[in-house]
Amino acid sequence: MRAVALGGGRGLHASLSALRLITTEVTAVVTVADDGGSSGRLRRELGLLPPGDLRKALLALAGDTGSLWSTVFGHRFGGTGALAGHAVGNLVLAGLLEVLGDPVAVLDEVARMLDVRGRVLPMCTEPLDIEADVLGLDEDRTAVRRIRGQVAVATTPGRVQRIRLHTAGDPDGLPKACPEAVAAVREADVVLLGPGSWFTSVLPHLLVPELHEALVETAASRIVVLNLVPQAGETAGFSPEQHLQVLLQHAPRLRVDAVIADADSVSTPDRLRRAAAELGAGACLDRVAASGAPERHDPTALADSLRRALGRTRGT
């Protein structure tokens, strides 16, 4: 089974960790709009793709997650010097990007080094900027303010209404999808959206024209995995069904086959089922949170839920 997971950061790590329990044919398609931390520093200083989310996806699919190379790749430098806060893997990816130039070739090379079971691809081969319309940042609580940058959007105290993407430094530049990522979506048997930071890791994939068309037209089963808890700042106060409503707002042509949500995180199941139905989907309420960590998905439980959802969508 050819599976594609779209997202970034810890959310994508969760979906990849579950998918690798189901199939070895996994492709991660990763957002490239990060402008904070080590990734943001490397992006500003070198003009490269932000490597952090790409590194996390590679480690999620690494053959032996406890191997020396995996451990080193995820290690962060301490101290207060120029390297403080940088992950070794980010620096390796940055170096390879400067030497090879082609992000896809770089990721394939690192995948061989880490014995990755599957493939990691960038959403676009150039860094992107994200901007959002936000309510509640002024005395007039109905005034809409536009803010820019992934970190600013992810941490805003206001309420995000809508996001847009453009190529870095060019407000009029439409993002161009990585061709290999588009092909992976079109050829997949199942495509996962979420979990993850909704406005900065999940929805951006729907705003890249070629990738959007591939998601609309693919014959794959399309499954949305909802977050376990709202994210402070970005989706504070959002109900599970509101996540689906903003998904529909940003991609009204997208149809979905199943929506997976944690049964203990949904206070109004009927509302979620109605919101899922607007996308053409059935709602699958399972217990998928990790024991003792209600904000984190359990890979085995999520894999079991994915199997059940796929069985329903295929009528088996």
Side-chain angles (χ1 to χ4, degrees):
M1 184 179 68
R2 295 163 297 184
V4 175
L6 302 99
R10 286 180 292 181
L12 181 58
H13 191 285
S15 59
L16 294 175
S17 298
L19 281 174
R20 64 178 293 170
L21 299 176
I22 301 174
T23 177
T24 57
E25 295 292 323
V26 180
T27 299
V29 178
V30 186
T31 51
V32 289
D34 192 2
D35 60 359
S38 169
S39 288
R41 288 162 61 191
L42 290 168
R43 174 178 169 171
R44 288 188 296 273
E45 294 171 12
L46 302 175
L48 302 172
L49 283 181
D53 285 349
L54 297 166
R55 170 182 54 82
K56 291 172 186 174
L58 287 162
L59 289 174
L61 294 176
D64 180 0
T65 55
S67 72
L68 178 60
W69 265 118
S70 293
T71 301
V72 170
F73 212 72
H75 174 74
R76 285 189 185 275
F77 291 103
T80 58
L83 290 177
H86 279 304
V88 173
N90 287 1
L91 299 178
V92 172
L93 287 167
L96 283 168
L97 283 166
E98 285 207 330
V99 171
L100 297 180
D102 179 2
V104 173
V106 166
L107 291 164
D108 287 345
E109 186 63 36
V110 174
R112 283 190 286 272
M113 181 178 72
L114 295 175
D115 189 26
V116 163
R117 312 292 172 85
R119 198 177 192 193
V120 175
L121 295 168
M123 179 175 72
C124 301
T125 57
E126 296 181 357
L128 301 177
D129 287 336
I130 187 170
E131 62 182 30
D133 295 334
V134 182
L135 283 173
L137 296 179
D138 300 292
E139 288 187 13
D140 179 0
R141 308 302 288 180
T142 64
V144 177
R145 186 189 295 183
R146 184 171 295 181
I147 62 174
R148 294 179 175 85
Q150 185 268 340
V151 171
V153 175
T155 59
T156 180
R159 190 177 184 88
V160 179
Q161 300 294 294
R162 193 173 188 90
I163 61 166
R164 287 170 293 277
L165 281 182
H166 54 78
T167 52
D170 181 7
D172 298 319
L174 283 177
K176 295 180 180 179
C178 169
E180 291 84 352
V182 173
V185 170
R186 289 189 177 277
E187 296 166 6
D189 298 305
V190 58
V191 175
L192 262 62
L193 272 170
S197 300
W198 214 244
F199 285 101
T200 54
S201 291
V202 178
L203 294 181
H205 292 85
L206 302 171
L207 304 182
V208 180
E210 302 99 321
L211 199 52
H212 179 277
E213 289 305 306
L215 286 164
V216 168
E217 296 172 1
T218 183
S221 297
R222 286 161 290 208
I223 299 177
V224 172
V225 182
L226 290 177
N227 294 336
L228 298 168
V229 294
Q231 181 177 342
E234 192 167 316
T235 53
F238 268 45
S239 65
E241 56 268 22
Q242 283 175 297
H243 287 74
L244 297 183
Q245 289 161 4
V246 296
L247 182 67
L248 184 61
Q249 177 189 4
H250 284 80
R253 294 169 53 221
L254 179 69
R255 310 320 296 160
V256 176
D257 296 288
V259 173
I260 293 177
D262 182 68
D264 296 329
S265 301
V266 179
S267 58
T268 53
D270 288 343
R271 290 183 185 176
L272 178 62
R273 292 189 181 98
R274 286 195 294 270
E278 288 186 37
L279 287 163
C284 305
L285 274 64
D286 294 317
R287 286 185 167 83
V288 292
S291 177
E295 76 289 348
R296 190 162 49 83
H297 284 87
D298 177 85
T300 302
L302 182 55
D304 290 341
S305 183
L306 286 169
R307 289 189 187 95
R308 287 191 289 271
L310 285 168
R312 294 185 190 116
T313 62
R314 295 172 175 176
T316 59

